[in-house]
Amino acid sequence: MIRINEGYEFPIEDTLFVFALDSEAGEVFNDKNKLITGIGKVNAAMELTKEIYRKRPKLIVNLGSAGSQSFHKGDVICCTKFIQRDMDVRGLGFSLYETPLSGVPPVLEYGLKRNDLPEGICGSGDSFEMNHSETVYNIVDMEAYPLALIAMKEKIPFLCLKYISDDAGSEAADDWAVQVHLASEAFNRLLFL
């Protein structure tokens, strides 16, 4: 069983663990229901949708690396709010980050909380952030927003944990390359030990 908090427990065999890259999963998740989506919002959305219709999990857990200037390298953060950071249709009168005519607010609030972890707001976009200065979100990644949106629309509980691999600054690429391999062990300690 995976215990999320006082109110939520799920069987491991009914849980889908979603990663962008196999390097984020390491060997820890080889015997679990693991999905590797590939990088980016479109790949994440496509692969998760296919897997939902194949297996219909009772819980979706998105685990992966992310950048942040608000948290420290090696921290694991629970994300319960999500922003599509590259959505900008203000020229047509919509709010920044709002997907026009979707009925979804600019900040999507969907996800289970882990009381033992700090919470973050994840800004997902199809770019590797190396000059982060936005204050509306404090974590950057490339896949969480569509995963949360699909889980919400499919009414499947969703847990998103991000391992901070870099500061989303000028050294982000070098830091990420070193830190990404440590993510799976951090997730293992939180979820299974």
Side-chain angles (χ1 to χ4, degrees), residues 148-168:
L149 180 66
I150 291 166
M152 182 189 74
K153 288 188 173 202
E154 291 294 321
K155 297 177 176 56
I156 299 172
F158 182 70
L159 175 68
C160 180
L161 303 180
K162 293 298 177 178
Y163 178 86
I164 304 304
S165 59
D166 60 81
D167 67 358

Side-chain angles (χ1 to χ4, degrees), residues 3-192:
R3 188 164 199 262
I4 308 299
N5 56 41
E6 303 80 37
Y8 292 97
E9 273 189 348
F10 297 89
I12 290 176
E13 60 272 11
D14 294 332
T15 300
L16 178 63
F17 297 95
V18 182
F19 300 87
L21 300 169
D22 207 34
S23 59
E24 294 171 319
E27 294 183 13
V28 171
F29 292 86
N30 284 348
D31 62 341
K32 313 282 187 295
N33 294 322
K34 174 178 73 170
L35 174 66
I36 306 299
T37 65
I39 295 172
K41 294 184 303 180
V42 173
N43 286 330
M46 183 177 72
E47 295 303 323
L48 179 59
T49 300
K50 290 190 312 190
E51 195 70 7
I52 286 172
Y53 286 101
R54 265 196 298 266
K55 294 188 178 173
R56 194 65 189 180
K58 294 200 178 359
L59 171 67
I60 296 169
V61 179
N62 172 224
L63 303 169
S65 57
S68 178
Q69 293 185 352
S70 299
F71 301 103
H72 299 96
K73 281 187 267 189
D75 288 350
V76 177
I77 310 302
C78 183
C79 298
T80 57
K81 296 178 183 174
F82 305 89
I83 291 173
Q84 193 169 197
R85 62 181 162 89
D86 50 7
M87 180 62 72
D88 187 353
V89 193
R90 289 178 289 180
L92 295 178
F94 295 93
S95 297
L96 181 61
Y97 311 126
E98 179 183 5
T99 302
L101 313 175
S102 69
V104 177
V107 179
L108 171 65
E109 294 188 43
Y110 189 74
L112 300 171
K113 292 181 185 181
R114 284 277 307 241
N115 297 331
D116 57 337
L117 296 175
E119 279 187 70
I121 301 171
C122 186
S124 299
D126 285 324
S127 61
F128 185 82
E129 187 72 58
M130 293 183 67
N131 194 19
H132 179 69
S133 60
E134 181 57 62
T135 58
V136 176
Y137 51 90
N138 54 12
I139 292 176
V140 293
D141 89 332
M142 298 178 72
E143 296 85 19
Y145 179 91
L147 300 174
L149 180 66
I150 291 166
M152 182 189 74
K153 288 188 173 202
E154 291 294 321
K155 297 177 176 56
I156 299 172
F158 182 70
L159 175 68
C160 180
L161 303 180
K162 293 298 177 178
Y163 178 86
I164 304 304
S165 59
D166 60 81
D167 67 358
S170 61
E171 304 295 318
D174 292 335
D175 289 345
W176 179 85
V178 171
Q179 293 287 321
V180 70
H181 302 288
L182 304 175
S184 63
E185 289 304 322
F187 297 138
N188 184 44
R189 285 190 299 275
L190 282 168
L191 295 172
F192 307 120

